Amino acid sequence: MKKAPILKGYTLFYLLFLYGPILLLPIFAFNDSKVVAFPLKGLTLNWFAEMAADQNLRTAAKNSLIIAFSVSSISTILGIFAARASVRYNFPGKAPIMGMIMLPLVLPEMIVAMALLVVLLSLGIQLSLFTVIVGQVLICTPFAVAILTSAFQSLDRSLEEASLDLGETAVSTFRLIVLPLVMPGIMASFLICFTISFDEFIIANFLGSGKPILSVYIFGQFRFPAKVPSMLALGTVLVLFSIILLGFAEYMRRRGIAKAGGKDSGGLL
Amino acid sequence: MAQPLGSEARAGLKLISPTAIYVILLLAVPLATVLIYSVLTGGRGNVSLPITIENYAELWTKAQYGYIMLKSLLVALTVTFITVMLAYPVAYFVSFHVKPERKSLWLFLITIPFWTSYIIRVSLWFVILGYGGIVDSALASIGLPPLNVASYSLLSIVIVLAHAYAPFAVLPIFVSLEKVDRSLLEAGQDLGESRWITFLRVTLPLSMPGVIAAALIVFIPTVGDYVTPELVGDGKEPMIANVIEIQLLKLQNFPQGSAFAVASMLMVGIVSVLFVLWNKRYIGGQK
């Protein structure tokens, strides 16, 4: 490897730019001042206490967990169907169907949310946590399909054939051979969808009709200066939470590739 | 279908049907509805016949709509340009100067911020750039006057979006740089070209597909971003998504809002197609 001190310096600077705002989170979450500004005043845990005591915040967090859990389960299941079908079979209309499934990746989220909202309003359907789940599944499924497609692709077809030759049925082959091998991919898909859903704002805001959901709640609270420090405490907790979740997802993804005997070819995306 | 489907085709269709039905009912049908609404007449909260092109005519004649679309386009293209320019050297460094076994660690480090709460990151910028915020108070403590960046709404929108979507740009560029055949670079240098010329004439053209993919990946979400103009720009500089919200939700003008949404999608589509066509030139040259 050739040394490139300027490039390396630049890259480190770039990482600092990326992480800068996030590094400010813990600094001001522990700062003993109502105003989020320099100079720092001293250490306090008050903001974490205020956060923990906030009843609305708890409701919002509970709702977000319900939504994220439902969305990641449904998206991963829908993703398994689509990824398995597209890797294993050829069928008429494959390209347009897969295109439609992946479309939300290249469509501004606002358009997806508004199109769905217009239909729901026209049909007179009451907005609720359920409508948020329905909408977010559209956003998360393409990510699930992308992750699961690479999981199914690295699967050795001859293992399945061997199992069928030895007298297992298609269903039991799937359960005994395919599922265990793609399990890490399924876990990674579940975790990624969970993170996306937990963080998602547009659909939560417009299809949730003001129901307390974490991202919507945070967005609202930042408008009140007095609430900002406790939101920074919450942010610190959330960032830690998602780094742990992502580290776990990345570990699962790598284990999956190693298990299937493939070669690691990049990150999560 | 004239001919009966083979067993493989039937198995495939059966397997994909749950996902396909879900997206057809909940994505294709709503998008089609918006398309139909955009050519209907209507007032507050309802739509009716006859079919009309009035909604589109209004978009064309009223300057404010054109201004919003042009502004969103310019903001998104500026953000895209900045993001890609900043990301290229990073992708180049990771691809050419990092040991193979360390590459995924670097990529992981670059992607983490993208996965941490978007809403927290954008809101943080609101606190960082805002009046008496972190930047200004830090400047004041070393005796400098405040910059008050937040009062320049468009500038702060560009900064925040460029930060929010930065990691999007690194990955596609990295992937295309990884594909560059290293022996071509040696050949260039053996033939007496300097490293800089080799980069300009070999590496850069070969990595252009990644650069254009990166541009596309950044452009689409930024042009449709809702949160940043609303929060950081304080709603003073609405972009496409904010206007769609106002038309459809606040004014409940379904036909006009739908027409605006369709026109915006068309604009995004045209720009994306231009990117893709530009990309074709480089992909064609590679073979």
Side-chain angles (χ1 to χ4, degrees), chain A residues 175-218:
Chain A
R175 193 169 56 85
L176 293 169
I177 309 291
V178 179
L179 212 53
L181 284 172
V182 293
M183 206 40 163
I186 293 174
M187 289 297 288
S189 153
F190 185 88
L191 292 172
I192 296 283
C193 292
F194 193 94
T195 319
I196 295 172
S197 161
F198 200 71
D199 193 31
E200 203 280 338
F201 172 78
I202 302 247
I203 286 172
N205 189 35
F206 294 117
L207 298 184
S209 91
K211 288 264 182 326
I213 296 170
L214 208 53
S215 57
V216 181
Y217 184 74
I218 295 170

Side-chain angles (χ1 to χ4, degrees), chain A residues 22 25 234-244, chain B residues 116-117 120:
Chain A
I22 297 167
L25 270 176
L234 174 64
T236 311
V237 174
L238 287 182
V239 167
L240 275 180
F241 177 65
S242 53
I243 288 177
I244 292 169
Chain B
T116 50
S117 178
I120 295 260

